[in-house]
Amino acid sequence: MAQRSGDIGLIGLAVMGQNLILNMADHGFTVVAYNRTVQKVHQFLNNEAKGKSIVGAESISDLCSKLKSPRRVMLLVKAGTAVDDFIAQLTPHLEKGDIIIDGGNSEYTDTQRRCKQLKERGIRYVGSGVSGGEDGARYGPSIMPGGDKEAWPHIKPIFQSISAKTDGQPCCDWVGEDGAGHYVKMVHNGIEYGDMQLICEIYHLMCAVGLTQEEMGDIFDEWNKGELDSFLIEITRDIFRYKDSDGKFLLPKIRDAAGQKGTGKWTAISALNFGVPVTLIGEAVFSRCLSALIDERQVASRHLSGPEKCFKGDKSQFVADLKRALYASKIVSYTQGFMLLREAAKAYNWSLDYGSIALMWRGGCIIRSVFLGQIKKAFDSDPNLSSLLLAPFFSNAIKNSQSGWRNVIVTAVELGVPTPALSTALAFYDGYRSKRLPANLLQAQRDYFGAHTYELLGKEGKFMHTNWTGHGGNVSASTYDA
């Protein structure tokens, strides 16, 4: 094969990397594959990649020498120092106008830094979220690229060809400057944390009211045919139905201690930094942390008591209420996620297209669902929509789900079943719809002990201080947004 025939190079031959390469080759692109362990390159070429338009590289310099100009090199390696290390190895072999794409789950602040540093050297840098797992990478992921916009025309044909398609539209479009792509992927993952936790709480409640796994599988199968149709509902149905080699269900055998890789935590931290109440994702992260205290929980279960009440209600009605609670809580989860995206866009001057982002998430990714089509319609109807809860479709959906949602929370409390995500979703909704909250007392407390001042109704913008004790003096502290 002639030199410099490669359309794109890819570094990192774990399963995701291999599947993405095969996807690119299936769509007519010539891919140059490299891995730090070169033996893995040879194994890949002699097996899965055999007979396809995939070329191996023995080194970084070999990889770069086989790529067309402008060179496009995609990294699918562990986030953090590994990305910086490969960038350092690549840059001596690149020219001005060449493109480096980080397709891993990098923290968006790292992507911002790398964009700036590489732009000074004439290298175009792209931080791209890629979602869909192994299957998505092979047959069509959701792709969220951001960074140096001059790179987009050069990678667009590849990325949009290999991405998932919804109603004929690629689930991939340009997101925004510097770290926008990885930020959108981070929020996507945060919503994923929330969705998974909500489903787990529904499962816990189903167990508490005595439903069998066969029944759960059938219920989720039915739910997947309606408004809850989604990837996570579908795979949960399959998990409920899966039996081990001994003929018994596998799920009850799995240790109840969940892990995490950080993107949910990053979402919660970003929300705190921006002052956006992304409470559901935060609870989902903390729920995983609580699950990890499995040894402590075993001890506590023998010493701490709870209600001994058994469920006496109508199971079929409760299942209907569970569906409503899950649906309403999902609406809150996405509402919070898009609120966070809007605040980040203001802070970083990103021109995010929220309808386009919803479309990118419609197919290929872990949170893909029919639900997202309504989000796209909401933002298409009003690009400046401040909250999904104010869109007619979602406000009506909450209205129709509300009684069942509240019944589920009450029942969970009575049975002693923890529902942090379902409960905080309802608490957020009730707080958001409240014309008046008790923060006036909070402000008075802050002024009492710290002279932090307060504003009076009708006199907004003028900060007052009261000498509550008669001996505190009249000097006030400067105001702060805490």
Side-chain angles (χ1 to χ4, degrees):
M1 184 172 291
Q3 292 290 303
R4 305 202 65 164
S5 61
D7 296 301
I8 187 169
L10 193 143
I11 298 174
L13 295 184
V15 176
M16 281 285 290
Q18 290 190 20
N19 282 355
L20 208 58
I21 290 172
L22 293 169
N23 187 354
M24 291 174 179
D26 286 348
H27 284 86
F29 300 103
T30 299
V31 189
V32 183
Y34 174 72
N35 195 78
R36 185 175 56 183
T37 306
V38 179
Q39 181 60 32
K40 201 164 187 175
V41 178
H42 298 154
Q43 291 173 348
F44 180 51
L45 292 175
N46 291 327
N47 293 281
E48 295 88 351
K50 193 170 185 178
K52 297 183 178 290
S53 56
I54 300 169
V55 182
E58 300 283 323
S59 64
I60 294 290
S61 61
D62 187 28
L63 169 80
C64 294
S65 72
K66 292 178 177 177
L67 294 173
K68 299 173 185 174
S69 292
R71 296 179 180 88
R72 294 163 285 196
V73 182
M74 187 169 187
L75 304 175
L76 272 178
V77 298
K78 187 177 180 180
T81 56
V83 177
D84 288 316
D85 290 345
F86 274 111
I87 289 173
Q89 293 176 53
L90 277 166
T91 48
H93 305 284
L94 300 180
E95 300 169 346
K96 286 187 177 181
D98 287 346
I99 300 161
I100 298 176
I101 308 153
D102 175 13
N105 274 330
S106 287
E107 195 164 3
Y108 79 97
T109 50
D110 285 340
T111 305
Q112 290 176 314
R113 168 179 57 82
R114 291 164 185 152
C115 277
K116 183 178 179 181
Q117 291 173 344
L118 288 168
K119 191 167 188 175
E120 292 171 354
R121 304 182 64 170
I123 305 298
R124 299 163 179 165
Y125 190 75
V126 173
S128 181
V130 180
S131 178
E134 299 172 12
D135 195 59
R138 182 66 183 88
Y139 300 107
S142 170
I143 309 177
M144 298 151 260
D148 189 331
K149 194 168 185 179
E150 292 183 0
W152 178 230
H154 301 286
I155 64 174
K156 179 179 179 179
I158 300 175
F159 277 21
Q160 291 196 336
S161 293
I162 67 170
S163 72
K165 308 294 186 298
T166 301
D167 299 327
Q169 296 296 311
C171 295
C172 169
D173 205 350
W174 186 251
V175 175
E177 297 295 317
D178 54 70
H182 273 141
Y183 194 92
V184 168
K185 176 56 162 58
M186 178 193 77
V187 174
H188 162 284
N189 283 25
I191 292 172
E192 176 186 309
Y193 272 55
D195 270 10
M196 294 171 74
Q197 178 62 27
L198 289 170
I199 292 170
C200 287
E201 291 174 17
I202 295 295
Y203 160 61
H204 199 170
L205 284 164
M206 286 180 166
C207 292
V209 301
L211 293 175
T212 66
Q213 268 196 227
E214 291 97 334
E215 290 172 322
M216 294 180 205
D218 291 343
I219 290 165
F220 270 67
D221 185 52
E222 187 62 32
W223 286 0
N224 200 47
K225 298 172 183 176
E227 62 264 32
L228 287 174
D229 176 8
S230 66
F231 175 74
L232 286 171
I233 294 292
E234 179 182 322
I235 69 167
T236 304
R237 173 203 64 194
D238 295 344
I239 290 167
F240 284 147
R241 291 175 169 176
Y242 191 87
K243 292 184 178 179
D244 205 354
S245 56
D246 60 3
K248 297 180 180 179
F249 288 110
L250 176 59
L251 182 58
K253 302 178 183 180
I254 298 175
R255 193 168 182 259
D256 60 315
Q260 54 183 306
K261 290 189 174 181
T263 46
K265 178 178 71 176
W266 294 345
T267 307
I269 291 171
S270 181
L272 287 169
N273 288 336
F274 285 129
V276 180
V278 183
T279 54
L280 199 152
I281 294 170
E283 287 292 353
V285 174
F286 285 128
S287 292
R288 294 195 187 192
C289 296
L290 183 59
S291 78
L293 301 178
I294 186 167
D295 294 332
E296 290 184 45
R297 289 190 289 110
Q298 304 310 307
V299 174
S301 69
R302 296 193 293 271
H303 296 279
L304 303 178
S305 63
E308 297 181 359
K309 184 176 180 180
C310 294
F311 182 76
K312 302 291 187 182
D314 183 330
K315 286 185 183 180
S316 62
Q317 179 58 51
F318 189 64
V319 167
D321 287 344
L322 286 174
K323 181 181 180 181
R324 295 185 186 100
L326 179 57
Y327 189 47
S329 298
K330 277 173 64 71
I331 291 172
V332 169
S333 181
Y334 284 80
T335 295
Q336 292 182 356
F338 277 94
M339 287 172 66
L340 181 56
L341 288 176
R342 186 173 292 281
E343 196 61 32
K346 291 179 186 176
Y348 296 118
N349 199 29
W350 294 334
S351 298
L352 300 183
D353 184 332
Y354 304 105
S356 176
I357 290 168
L359 176 62
M360 282 185 250
W361 293 348
R362 273 288 307 277
C365 68
I366 303 302
I367 63 171
R368 62 183 180 266
S369 68
V370 294
F371 184 90
L372 285 151
Q374 294 298 335
I375 294 179
K376 185 177 188 307
K377 289 179 182 178
F379 283 113
D380 285 349
S381 176
D382 181 4
N384 298 314
L385 184 66
S386 60
S387 170
L388 285 173
L389 293 177
L390 301 179
F393 176 87
F394 294 106
S395 61
N396 288 332
I398 291 282
K399 181 180 179 181
N400 295 332
S401 301
Q402 198 171 152
S403 61
W405 190 13
R406 294 183 187 280
N407 181 53
V408 165
I409 303 303
V410 170
T411 304
V413 172
E414 291 177 339
L415 295 177
V417 176
T419 55
L422 289 166
S423 298
T424 199
L426 181 57
F428 173 87
Y429 173 75
D430 282 338
Y432 191 75
R433 70 178 183 83
S434 295
K435 186 176 181 180
R436 189 166 173 83
L437 289 170
N440 55 326
L441 174 58
L442 190 150
Q443 288 296 77
Q445 290 170 331
R446 291 174 65 236
D447 189 55
Y448 188 111
F449 66 67
H452 293 302
T453 74
Y454 55 84
E455 296 171 281
L456 290 173
L457 291 170
K459 295 183 179 180
E460 289 80 3
K462 184 178 180 181
F463 293 89
M464 312 290 291
H465 168 59
T466 292
N467 183 355
W468 299 90
T469 64
H471 53 75
N474 293 316
V475 178
S476 62
S478 58
T479 58
Y480 62 92
D481 297 325

